Amino acid sequence: MDLGTSLINVALLAMLFVVAVAIIRMRSLFAIVMLAGAYSLLSATWFVVLDAVDVAFTEAAVGAGISTALMLGAMLLTSRTAKSERAILGVVPFLVCVLTGAVLIYATIDLPALGDAASAANSHVGAQYLERVQADTGVPNVVTAVLASYRGFDTLGETCVIFAAGVAVVLLLGFGERSLSARSDKGRSRKESK
Amino acid sequence: MTSHHVILRVVSKLLMPVIVVYAFYVQFHGDYGPGGGFQAGVILAVSVILFALVFGVPEALRAVPARFAASLAAIGLLLYAGVGIWAMLNGGNYLDYDFLVEEAPGGHAGQHLGILLIELGVLFTVSGSMLTIFYAFAGRVAEIRDEDW
């Protein structure tokens, strides 16, 4: 990896860290939702640096786009600020965090290097996909071929999950006709007052 | 909230068709570049959500009814699962697109048709579900006042 890419990586990760700390420290929910969108956008940029454009696209569309809009919609139903908590430094939680972090950092030593052709993810089934995709499907974008054809059953499951989420929200909250009825009531009373 | 936001209304009116066209570009160009049904579905839903944020949820509900959005989600899932059944009826395994059309061995027409159809199903389900979820949340507040932003 050349120096420029490393610098971009360090800068993006530092910005992610700053945004994460800001989200933890803030109490205004509106600012937190906006910062969460910024966090997703930064992650998407980082995925582009890692050559994972499909993942970056999904992160930008879903993480920065629609979840921000949905969180704003949910925020309207509640108060605008989170409860302020007194900052207390617990020794045991602090130790648990430090220990978990240390274990995770220790585990990264075993991870293969970025783009390592001999790593487990790239050598077995991944290499097979790359070799056979043109003969099997004739689709230029291998990601689409894997997602829609080789792993079509998985994608069906994902689509089911999204549908189930929509159904669950409808069962809990309804279709949102409430605003329509409230608005038409108000319109009627306004007309009557005129 | 909408009466005095002239700049927002004009700019979002200009943007909405571009967003929809971009969603369809992402959808149908998914074979060649990044993108596909998931991303296109989200972008399509965002165009309606933008409309709802600027012109109010009741207006959006009149343009794209909540029942239509929910039905769209169900139709998409049925389309996806139906392609699998179709392949089974033609003698293949579930979701084996090679059996969708009669073709010489090595042909890719079945694969292209299958991927097109299931991506369309994903587009319908994702955009329908996202809109339904947005309506369910945003529809509970009658009006978004200016000071709420």
Side-chain angles (χ1 to χ4, degrees):
Chain A
M1 200 186 293
D2 56 85
L3 183 69
T5 318
S6 310
L7 280 179
I8 292 174
N9 274 339
V10 169
L12 283 174
L13 288 176
M15 280 153 86
L16 276 179
F17 181 75
V18 170
V19 172
V21 170
I23 289 177
I24 296 172
R25 307 280 306 176
M26 275 193 169
R27 285 286 161 254
S28 159
L29 287 182
F30 184 75
I32 289 176
V33 169
M34 284 298 145
L35 279 179
Y39 189 92
S40 290
L41 207 57
L42 283 172
S43 319
T45 319
W46 190 47
F47 292 146
V48 172
V49 178
L50 293 176
D51 280 341
V53 272
D54 277 271
V55 183
F57 201 170
T58 313
E59 179 69 40
V62 177
I66 198 123
S67 28
T68 310
L70 289 182
M71 294 283 263
L72 282 177
M75 197 192 71
L76 286 173
L77 301 178
T78 170
S79 63
R80 298 290 173 277
T81 47
K83 269 188 214 150
S84 59
E85 289 170 36
R86 276 188 304 123
I88 30 169
L89 184 71
V91 180
V92 178
F94 182 72
L95 277 180
V96 168
C97 286
V98 169
L99 266 178
T100 314
V103 168
L104 285 175
I105 289 173
Y106 177 67
T108 58
I109 297 171
D110 266 354
L111 285 179
L114 178 66
D116 182 5
S119 73
N122 289 336
S123 51
H124 302 291
V125 70
Q128 285 284 316
Y129 284 149
L130 288 178
E131 273 170 26
R132 300 177 46 177
V133 67
Q134 285 313 314
D136 279 353
T137 67
V139 171
N141 184 3
V142 184
V143 177
T144 300
V146 172
L147 186 108
S149 187
Y150 290 112
R151 298 293 179 95
F153 208 75
D154 287 0
T155 310
L156 177 63
E158 283 168 30
T159 315
C160 271
V161 168
I162 291 174
F163 179 67
V167 168
V169 170
V170 164
L171 287 178
L172 286 172
L173 296 180
F175 279 111
E177 311 92 332
R178 202 172 288 205
S179 78
L180 208 56
S181 58
R183 175 59 70 93
S184 58
D185 285 349
K186 208 180 287 173
R188 210 173 297 141
S189 61
R190 211 175 285 156
K191 261 175 217 157
E192 278 163 11
S193 65
K194 272 176 196 168
Chain B
M1 89 175 264
T2 60
S3 50
H4 51 282
H5 289 189
V6 181
I7 295 175
L8 269 184
R9 271 185 293 153
V10 171
V11 171
S12 62
K13 261 185 194 169
L14 281 177
L15 275 180
M16 253 172 278
V18 182
I19 295 175
V20 173
V21 169
Y22 184 62
F24 285 120
Y25 163 76
V26 169
Q27 167 78 17
F28 294 110
H29 207 255
D31 287 5
Y32 303 97
F38 284 98
Q39 293 93 332
V42 168
I43 295 170
L44 199 61
V46 158
S47 70
V48 182
I49 291 177
L50 176 68
F51 181 79
L53 287 178
V54 176
F55 292 89
V57 177
E59 283 294 321
L61 277 172
R62 215 164 292 140
V64 185
R67 306 242 166 214
F68 173 76
S71 318
L72 196 67
I75 288 169
L77 193 56
L78 279 177
L79 177 62
Y80 197 139
V83 171
I85 304 282
W86 182 13
M88 279 172 86
L89 289 178
N90 285 354
N93 285 324
Y94 191 68
L95 288 175
D96 191 346
Y97 310 135
D98 285 331
F99 287 87
L100 289 184
V101 288
E102 297 274 340
E103 59 183 339
H108 297 314
Q111 288 286 340
H112 282 297
L113 181 67
I115 292 176
L116 185 77
L117 286 177
I118 67 124
E119 291 278 12
L120 213 57
V122 172
L123 170 84
F124 288 169
T125 301
V126 171
S127 55
S129 300
M130 291 301 149
L131 262 188
T132 307
I133 295 175
F134 173 76
Y135 280 153
F137 278 111
R140 291 179 75 85
V141 268
E143 200 172 351
I144 305 168
R145 288 163 305 166
D146 280 345
E147 53 265 35
D148 286 347
W149 297 105

